[in-house]
Amino acid sequence: MSPETPRPARLPLLAVRDVVVFPHMVLPLSVGRPKSIKALEAAMAGAKLLGVVAQKGSHIEDPQVGDLFSVGVLAEVVQYLRMPDSTLKVFLQGHCRAQAVKMEFSEAKGFWEADLEYPEPAAPPPTVEVKALMRHSIELFDEHA
């Protein structure tokens, strides 16, 4: 995601099960839940962006706020195809980590929305041990190559 790409404060929210979406990951999904379909349609009507979070339990058909992780990604809908069985086949590309600080279901719109914050990744300063492991990894790669 380039620095110019918008990071909206509020977006439709897509809850996914059995998968975790990471930044820079491209993921095909089949979407069939009505709330999820409406969230994707809202994203497509706008900037093609939405928040994506994982469900804590894959067996939950109608997740509530407590059933969702708050940290996910800002994702872009790269491709969107309506299937004959009324499900959607979508390709999502994760852009950056996003935290849903307030999630709520909009009865009027029929889908989840979230207020998002975008925490900067915190890279700890490399310790002596990390530097040694990095050096060893490079040596192993050189041997292999």
Side-chain angles (χ1 to χ4, degrees):
M1 177 177 212
S2 69
E4 303 85 43
T5 302
R7 293 183 177 191
R10 187 164 183 85
L11 281 173
L13 188 69
L14 178 66
V16 294
R17 52 182 158 190
D18 293 329
V19 68
V20 176
V21 184
F22 291 98
H24 312 293
M25 180 178 182
V26 177
L27 179 73
L29 283 178
S30 270
V31 179
R33 290 190 280 203
K35 292 176 184 179
S36 298
I37 290 172
K38 288 184 180 186
L40 281 162
E41 289 171 343
M44 291 303 292
K48 298 184 180 183
L49 297 173
L50 72 161
V52 179
V53 294
Q55 284 184 210
K56 294 178 181 176
S58 63
H59 62 282
I60 301 168
E61 188 58 37
D62 188 20
Q64 303 304 308
V65 172
D67 301 323
L68 304 173
F69 288 102
S70 63
V71 177
V73 296
L74 170 67
E76 179 182 358
V77 181
V78 177
Q79 190 175 16
Y80 173 95
L81 180 63
R82 190 170 299 277
M83 303 303 286
D85 63 354
S86 298
T87 62
L88 298 178
K89 182 75 169 180
V90 296
F91 281 88
L92 299 178
Q93 180 173 4
H95 284 293
C96 66
R97 197 167 66 142
Q99 180 162 6
V101 291
K102 182 181 176 187
M103 294 181 268
E104 59 189 11
F105 181 74
S106 170
E107 292 288 342
K109 296 177 183 176
F111 59 86
W112 285 92
E113 290 183 297
D115 292 337
L116 299 174
E117 290 181 355
Y118 303 95
E120 292 299 320
T127 62
V128 173
E129 181 183 7
V130 170
K131 288 179 183 178
L133 288 170
M134 289 169 48
R135 196 170 35 254
H136 183 65
S137 296
I138 291 169
E139 289 170 2
L140 289 173
F141 179 77
D142 285 342
E143 286 177 25
H144 180 71

